[in-house]
Structure formats: structure tokens, C-alpha cells
Amino acid sequence: MALSRALRCCQRIFSWIPVFIISSVVLWSYYAYVFELCFVMYLLLFHVCFIMFCWSYWKAIFTPASTPSKKFHLSYSDKERYEMEERPDAQKQILAEIAKKLPICTRAQSGGKF
């Protein structure tokens, strides 16, 4: 039990490493552009883009992941039929049949339905 707790703690710590790297690169670029280059006429545009980037990045980090709705999951019989088939072309055909039953509508670039 102590080992699994330690592993979860390490996993949490290591999962934040990319966030710190990206944040440090963003802060360095902010410093380099605003304080070192300082193109006054572009500062307003830069700050607007910088704020939008920071907001969307942090929103993406802190938004919890979700799962698809149950109506998009494969039924047990469909999953079993797919797993029993060994040929890739037959598996593709099974998935195409299942996709036709989903509550979505796909349109071509011209506007017609598939």
C-alpha cells in the first residue's frame, strides 16, 4: 500500500514537469519580447495574444477529462463480434456498420450526406 501511494505521488510530480517546462518557455519569451526587444507598436497586440494563449493553456490543463456518452460505446455483442473477427477488412466493415447506427450525421464537403 505504501508503495502504490509513493508511485501515485511520483506520478503526480512527474505529470507536472511538462507544464513547468512550457510555462518557463512562455515566461522567458514574454521577458525576451517585452523587456529586451520592446517593439512598442506591437506590445498591445502581443499582450492580447499572450493573454488569450495563457487563458486557453491553463483552461486546457485544469479542465478534467471526460468520457464519451454511453450511447457512443460499443454494445457487448458488437464488441464481441469485432474481437472475434481476425481480418482487418472485415473489422473495418463491422465498424462501418456500427457507425451507421450512431446518432450522428456526417456530411461531405459539398453538403451531401455520406
Side-chain angles (χ1 to χ4, degrees):
M1 181 158 159
L3 181 62
S4 66
R5 180 177 281 170
L7 288 175
R8 276 187 271 138
C9 181
C10 287
Q11 181 186 12
R12 278 194 214 127
I13 291 170
F14 287 132
S15 68
W16 281 98
I17 289 175
V19 174
F20 289 128
I21 291 172
I22 291 173
S23 297
S24 62
V25 168
V26 167
L27 290 175
W28 174 82
S29 68
Y30 182 83
Y31 168 78
Y33 190 82
V34 173
F35 294 107
E36 296 297 325
L37 297 175
C38 195
F39 296 124
V40 176
M41 56 191 202
Y42 295 118
L43 280 178
L44 180 64
L45 178 64
F46 176 79
H47 279 91
V48 170
C49 292
F50 183 77
I51 289 169
M52 287 191 307
F53 167 77
C54 290
W55 177 74
S56 62
Y57 180 67
W58 287 105
K59 185 96 170 147
I61 290 172
F62 292 114
T63 301
S66 63
T67 58
S69 173
K70 293 287 183 194
K71 62 184 173 183
F72 292 105
H73 290 206
L74 291 177
S75 68
Y76 179 76
S77 61
D78 288 337
K79 186 176 179 182
E80 189 174 82
R81 190 174 72 154
Y82 177 79
E83 289 174 348
M84 295 298 280
E85 187 60 53
E86 294 179 3
R87 298 184 327 249
D89 56 334
Q91 287 179 335
K92 187 176 179 181
Q93 182 64 32
I94 292 170
L95 289 177
E97 292 171 10
I98 294 169
K100 288 180 183 177
K101 295 186 279 184
L102 290 175
I104 59 173
C105 179
T106 306
R107 294 196 178 269
Q109 188 175 5
S110 63
K113 292 183 180 181
F114 280 122

